[in-house]
Amino acid sequence: MVMIERRYENRHNRRDRHSERERPRDDEKGRRRRNEAEDSDTNGHRKRDSVDEYGGKDRHSSRVMVDEDDRDGRRMRSERRIDGEGVDDGGEKDKRRRGERNDGDRIDDDGEKDRRRRGERNGGDRVDDDGEKDRKRRGGDRIDDDGEKDRRRGGERNDGDRIQRREKEDGKVNNDLKLGRSGGVYIPPFKLARMMKEVEDKESVEYQRLTWDALRKSINGLVNKVNATNIKNIIPELFAENLIRGRGLFCRSCMKSQMASPGFTDVFAALVAVVNTKFPEVGDLLLRRIILQLKRAYKRNDKPQLLAAVKFIAHLVNQQVVDELVALELLTLLLDKPTDDSVEVAVGFVTECGSILQDLCPRGLHGIFERFRGILHEGEIDKRVQFLIEGLFAIRKAKFQGYPAVRQELDLVEQEDQLTHEMSLQEDEIDPETALDIFKPDPQFLENEKRYEELKKTLLGEDSEDEADSDEGSDDEDDEESDEEEDEEAMKIKDETETNLVNLRRTIYLTIMSSVDFEEAGHKLLKIKLEPGQEMELCIMLLECCSQERTYLRYYGLLGQRFCMINKVHQENFEKCFVQQYSMIHRLETNKLRNVAKFFAHLLGTDALPWHVLAYIRLTEEDTTSSSRIFIKILFQELSEHLGIRLLNERLSDPTMQDCFESIFPKDNPKNTRFSINFFTSIGLGGITENLREYLKNMPRLIMQQQKPVSESEEESGSSGSSDSDASTAESDSGSSSSDDESDRDGRRRKRRRR
């Protein structure tokens, strides 16, 4: 106990000496501020200011005190060790314990504060020591983990470990398959193929499950990637799969895909129609499931699912997989108690399949539209739905244009080959056969697979191909190779997109529109390299640009004249353009029609275009329309302005060209002649019809002159006939008289002899 008290006194003396050593370093102001900071415990703001201002000095003093405390601690521990060696274990330990218990009573308040301060100062060192120990431990753990990883990597490099791991994975997959978790475990395709090869027993449940998973994935993949362009390629691949075993999978995949993308409903319906021709049970199963889906959605007010089911049924009706009575029954159900949603669904259904219903059952469709009319007159539904009904009536009036029953690229089945299914929506017991979607072991698996292989060969025609391939010899192979080489040489790539033609038209258009005058445009257009047969595009683009202008520009006429004068090919092309434009003149607007007529009038007036093209125009009441008469009017009025009425009349009176103008100035019928005279008189060009008027005046005389020779010939034939008849009668009379004279003479001779 005495030794403990001495050590305690020595420690306090050292602390006092230390404080005396540190005290001269502080000035009077610093001491005052530290005392204020220590005394004002409640004033936190002043205490923080003093600490911030003298933080550097306090940290230095605390560092010195911590060093002194560490030295004292080491000395005390060394003295305890020394004392403990010379003292008895029992008595000395008791004394130390009693002395340590009484230390707290003997230490005054200042000592207690000093110990607390030293404990707080040494706490940081202890925490640092503990943190250092923890880091060392964690470092050792990391080293152990790294070593363990290295050992694992080294073990994985061995082939034996890899084989064992692979066997474990395969065994896990096989166990999962044995447990019946079909579809719950993802198996990569290469691993699935390897597992199917490794299975020796082809009738085992594991092998059947593997083939079932492969069938499901294949059918889902084919159905998901089908579209209107590749459906003809998908169908043979689909028939290559066992659709009898996977008919449930096929129906489920079609319904899910159609629900996800309703825009491809017609494609899925076409696919089902083709499958239905070979496997009618697939179409029947799909129809049952769709009807159940429709009834379930109708009861639950599930509009998206109802729309999808109704649209699928509509396109199946279009493909004639489903009978039209099912469509009428569905419409009756939807319109029995009309609501906004039910009427909207019915409008969409009629829009999709109204075209074929109008052909198959027009009376039933008429009844449905009468029901729509009644709903519209009642006015109990929303305005938006009323507008939908009015739009449906407009579509019906247009005979469902824009809504064909089957698109041309999806019309894959002949009508006599299609099998139509009939089913009522009122049937209570409709079996969806959901068990077909789940894997079940087949005791006759191999036999069924062989049967389908034979059926597949008959469907896809693989027998004939195999026999032909087996019969071919080496000579045939050489012939095929030579034929293939010849075909490759003869085959040339054709650009069906007409990209070059579009680029050429763009170049011609930009050249015409960017040129200042017709000479510059002609010079630039002649520099364009045209392939044989593309000269027509130049004439078409020139005429098209001219027709698009608001008013006629003489620029286009001069440009066309220049090309006709340069090359006769362009002249022939413009003749073809004249014939083509006149045949389609009723399609042009009035402004375009005027520009085209003035363009050709310029070419005719400058003799760039031969006048025999007018022979295509036939000016009669039956052969002309309002558009064609406007075209002829503008054409001849422009010609009279270019040439003058006198010169125009001379051109039209040219005897060498009369054959070409007979269609414009017809002389075959007085009615057509009068129509032509009246037409040109009404447009102010009656002067060019003088010859036609004279012909019309002289027509009765000509008719009489033509009739006179006919009458004379008839008279001559009649007189000659009468003279012949008179002569014959005279001859007959003379013959009869001579015969009478002879008979009289004979009688007289006989009388004389008797006498």
Side-chain angles (χ1 to χ4, degrees):
M1 186 66 67
V2 175
M3 292 178 66
I4 293 171
E5 290 178 358
R6 287 178 182 174
R7 283 195 294 272
Y8 184 74
E9 290 177 358
N10 292 332
R11 188 163 60 236
H12 275 280
N13 291 333
R14 284 194 296 272
R15 189 180 69 249
D16 294 337
R17 286 197 300 272
H18 172 70
S19 61
E20 290 176 358
R21 241 184 351 261
E22 292 291 324
R23 198 175 295 118
R25 299 180 183 177
D26 299 334
D27 54 359
E28 186 175 358
K29 186 177 180 179
R31 285 196 303 271
R32 187 168 60 254
R33 290 192 177 183
R34 279 197 302 272
N35 293 332
E36 289 176 359
E38 291 174 359
D39 295 335
S40 60
D41 293 332
T42 60
N43 192 354
H45 180 69
R46 288 182 59 194
K47 187 173 183 180
R48 283 196 299 272
D49 292 341
S50 63
V51 171
D52 293 339
E53 186 176 359
Y54 298 98
K57 192 168 183 180
D58 292 338
R59 284 192 298 270
H60 177 71
S61 61
S62 64
R63 195 182 303 117
V64 175
M65 293 176 70
V66 169
D67 295 337
E68 291 295 331
D69 292 338
D70 291 338
R71 292 190 195 118
D72 294 340
R74 285 195 294 273
R75 287 175 185 172
M76 290 175 66
R77 284 193 294 273
S78 63
E79 289 175 357
R80 284 175 183 173
R81 291 191 197 98
I82 295 170
D83 294 336
E85 291 175 359
V87 181
D88 295 333
D89 294 336
E92 190 64 24
K93 288 181 180 179
D94 293 336
K95 293 178 182 179
R96 290 179 182 175
R97 290 170 184 168
R98 286 194 299 271
E100 289 174 359
R101 291 193 191 103
N102 295 328
D103 283 341
D105 298 335
R106 295 175 183 174
I107 296 172
D108 54 1
D109 295 335
D110 295 333
E112 185 67 18
K113 291 179 180 179
D114 292 335
R115 282 198 303 273
R116 290 178 182 175
R117 290 172 183 171
R118 285 194 300 272
E120 290 174 358
R121 290 167 187 157
N122 295 330
D125 298 335
R126 289 173 191 154
V127 171
D128 294 336
D129 295 337
D130 296 335
E132 186 68 20
K133 291 178 182 179
D134 293 336
R135 283 193 295 273
K136 289 180 180 180
R137 290 170 185 166
R138 285 195 297 272
D141 295 337
R142 290 194 193 100
I143 293 170
D144 295 337
D145 293 339
D146 293 337
E148 184 67 17
K149 289 179 180 178
D150 293 335
R151 286 192 296 273
R152 290 178 182 176
R153 290 171 184 167
E156 287 178 356
R157 294 189 185 96
N158 297 328
D159 294 337
D161 296 340
R162 292 176 184 170
I163 294 171
Q164 293 178 359
R165 196 181 312 108
R166 184 178 299 171
E167 291 177 353
K168 289 180 181 179
E169 292 177 357
D170 293 345
K172 182 179 179 181
V173 172
N174 290 330
N175 291 332
D176 293 334
L177 293 175
K178 290 178 181 179
L179 292 174
R181 296 194 299 171
S182 177
V185 180
Y186 172 73
I187 304 174
F190 71 93
K191 186 176 291 186
L192 184 63
R194 189 187 65 205
M195 293 171 63
M196 292 176 68
K197 290 181 180 179
E198 291 177 355
V199 175
E200 296 179 356
D201 187 7
K202 301 300 182 181
E203 292 185 355
S204 61
V205 178
E206 290 79 7
Y207 181 76
Q208 293 185 26
R209 186 182 294 278
L210 292 176
T211 55
W212 174 266
D213 291 338
L215 178 64
R216 174 175 51 82
K217 292 178 182 178
S218 179
I219 291 176
N220 289 337
L222 292 173
V223 172
N224 287 333
K225 70 180 180 181
V226 68
N227 54 41
T229 57
N230 66 358
I231 187 171
K232 294 182 180 179
N233 300 325
I234 294 294
I235 289 172
E237 297 181 15
L238 189 62
F239 280 128
E241 304 296 333
N242 193 343
L243 288 179
I244 296 178
R245 184 188 183 196
R247 58 185 183 275
L249 299 175
F250 175 74
C251 295
R252 184 179 65 176
S253 180
C254 287
M255 293 177 65
K256 284 188 176 181
S257 300
Q258 188 268 339
M259 185 70 183
S261 55
F264 289 87
T265 306
D266 53 349
V267 180
F268 297 126
L271 185 65
V272 173
V274 176
V275 175
N276 184 64
T277 57
K278 306 300 180 183
F279 305 104
E281 60 273 11
V282 177
D284 181 66
L285 176 62
L286 181 66
L287 178 60
R288 280 182 283 161
R289 291 189 177 186
I290 293 175
I291 289 177
L292 284 176
Q293 179 185 356
L294 185 144
K295 294 171 71 174
R296 191 181 302 116
Y298 184 76
K299 291 180 181 178
R300 297 177 180 176
N301 293 327
D302 190 353
K303 187 177 178 181
Q305 194 170 6
L306 181 64
L307 284 172
V310 164
K311 193 169 185 180
F312 209 164
I313 290 178
H315 284 284
L316 289 176
V317 171
N318 289 337
Q319 293 285 349
Q320 296 187 12
V321 177
V322 179
D323 191 69
E324 63 272 10
L325 295 178
V326 178
L328 296 177
E329 188 178 0
L330 175 59
L331 289 171
T332 305
L333 175 65
L334 292 174
L335 300 178
D336 184 21
K337 297 178 181 180
T339 61
D340 293 342
D341 292 335
S342 66
V343 174
E344 183 180 355
V345 172
V347 169
F349 182 79
V350 176
T351 303
E352 295 291 341
C353 66
S355 178
I356 194 168
L357 289 179
Q358 192 173 15
D359 297 335
L360 297 178
C361 50
R363 297 181 64 182
L365 185 65
H366 178 71
I368 296 298
F369 271 97
E370 289 299 322
R371 179 57 181 156
F372 275 122
R373 196 186 306 276
I375 294 171
L376 194 61
H377 289 168
E378 291 172 1
E380 296 180 356
I381 57 176
D382 191 23
K383 289 288 185 182
R384 181 181 65 86
V385 184
Q386 293 181 12
F387 286 136
L388 290 176
I389 297 176
E390 292 176 359
L392 180 61
F393 274 97
I395 294 172
R396 182 197 183 190
K397 187 176 181 181
K399 296 182 179 179
F400 294 94
Q401 287 185 356
Y403 299 94
V406 181
R407 286 190 289 170
Q408 185 176 2
E409 59 269 19
L410 298 178
D411 191 6
L412 304 175
V413 181
E414 297 293 335
Q415 187 173 1
E416 57 272 9
D417 296 336
Q418 189 58 268
L419 297 174
T420 305
H421 300 280
E422 296 180 4
M423 189 173 295
S424 176
L425 299 178
Q426 304 299 329
E427 293 183 9
D428 296 332
E429 296 181 359
I430 298 178
D431 186 12
E433 298 184 24
T434 54
L436 296 174
D437 300 344
I438 304 170
F439 168 74
K440 288 185 178 179
D442 186 6
Q444 299 179 353
F445 175 72
L446 293 180
E447 295 180 2
N448 294 332
E449 288 293 323
K450 289 180 181 179
R451 290 177 183 175
Y452 190 81
E453 286 293 329
E454 295 176 357
L455 181 61
K456 181 176 71 174
K457 290 179 181 180
T458 58
L459 290 176
L460 303 179
E462 294 180 357
D463 285 340
S464 60
E465 294 180 0
D466 295 338
E467 292 176 359
D469 292 337
S470 62
D471 294 338
E472 287 179 353
S474 60
D475 296 335
D476 295 336
E477 293 177 357
D478 296 336
D479 294 338
E480 286 182 358
E481 292 177 358
S482 61
D483 293 339
E484 289 177 358
E485 292 177 357
E486 292 177 358
D487 293 339
E488 290 177 357
E489 292 177 357
M491 184 178 62
K492 294 181 181 179
I493 298 174
K494 294 182 180 180
D495 186 11
E496 297 294 340
T497 60
E498 297 183 351
T499 306
N500 297 331
L501 184 60
V502 173
N503 294 333
L504 176 63
R505 290 179 178 175
R506 184 185 295 111
T507 304
I508 294 172
Y509 173 78
L510 295 176
T511 304
I512 292 173
M513 303 305 292
S514 63
S515 300
V516 178
D517 56 358
F518 73 96
E519 293 181 351
E520 180 185 353
H523 183 68
K524 290 181 179 178
L525 290 173
L526 288 174
K527 287 185 177 180
I528 298 175
K529 295 181 180 180
L530 298 175
E531 296 181 359
Q534 290 184 345
E535 294 85 359
M536 189 67 180
E537 298 298 329
L538 180 62
C539 302
I540 292 174
M541 286 303 300
L542 182 60
L543 191 61
E544 188 69 23
C545 293
C546 178
S547 64
Q548 295 294 333
E549 296 290 341
R550 293 185 179 179
T551 58
Y552 172 71
L553 298 179
R554 196 164 175 264
Y555 165 83
Y556 296 103
L558 294 172
L559 188 57
Q561 176 187 352
R562 176 63 58 90
F563 279 107
C564 290
M565 295 296 184
I566 289 174
N567 194 348
K568 194 175 181 179
V569 176
H570 297 297
Q571 190 180 40
E572 295 175 355
N573 291 332
F574 276 114
E575 290 181 19
K576 295 178 182 178
C577 289
F578 179 85
V579 175
Q580 185 178 4
Q581 287 294 328
Y582 184 76
S583 63
M584 298 187 301
I585 202 69
H586 59 280
R587 299 183 184 178
L588 298 181
E589 300 174 359
T590 305
N591 188 39
K592 292 183 178 181
L593 189 147
R594 182 180 294 106
N595 292 342
V596 171
K598 290 184 177 182
F599 176 80
F600 285 114
H602 181 91
L603 296 182
L604 290 170
T606 56
D607 290 330
L609 199 64
W611 284 60
H612 62 77
V613 296
L614 297 176
Y616 188 75
I617 300 175
R618 181 168 176 78
L619 187 58
T620 61
E621 188 176 1
E622 292 81 8
D623 297 330
T624 56
T625 61
S626 59
S627 299
S628 62
R629 287 193 285 269
I630 293 172
F631 177 80
I632 297 170
K633 169 190 171 183
I634 298 172
L635 180 67
F636 278 92
Q637 285 178 347
E638 288 294 318
L639 285 174
S640 65
E641 290 181 5
H642 282 293
L643 303 176
I645 191 67
R646 184 179 59 82
L647 186 57
L648 177 60
N649 197 8
E650 291 178 359
R651 285 288 186 91
L652 295 175
S653 301
D654 187 2
T656 60
M657 299 290 292
Q658 290 303 312
D659 295 338
C660 300
F661 301 147
E662 284 182 357
S663 59
I664 299 177
F665 305 108
K667 297 179 182 179
D668 55 347
N669 193 350
K671 179 183 176 182
N672 296 336
T673 305
R674 291 190 188 95
F675 180 81
S676 178
I677 293 172
N678 294 334
F679 175 77
F680 284 109
T681 304
S682 64
I683 65 175
L685 297 176
I688 64 175
T689 61
E690 293 179 357
N691 296 332
L692 202 60
R693 290 174 187 273
E694 293 179 0
Y695 175 79
L696 187 61
K697 288 180 182 179
N698 299 327
M699 187 175 289
R701 187 185 305 168
L702 296 174
I703 293 173
M704 293 297 294
Q705 291 177 358
Q706 291 176 358
Q707 290 178 354
K708 281 182 180 180
V710 174
S711 62
E712 290 177 356
S713 61
E714 290 178 354
E715 290 177 357
E716 291 177 356
S717 62
S719 61
S720 62
S722 62
S723 62
D724 293 337
S725 63
D726 294 338
S728 62
T729 55
E731 290 177 354
S732 62
D733 292 337
S734 61
S736 63
S737 60
S738 62
S739 62
D740 293 336
D741 293 338
E742 290 178 356
S743 62
D744 291 338
R745 289 173 185 173
D746 293 335
R748 289 173 185 174
R749 288 175 183 175
R750 290 175 182 174
K751 287 178 179 180
R752 289 174 182 176
R753 288 176 183 176
R754 288 177 182 175
R755 290 176 183 175

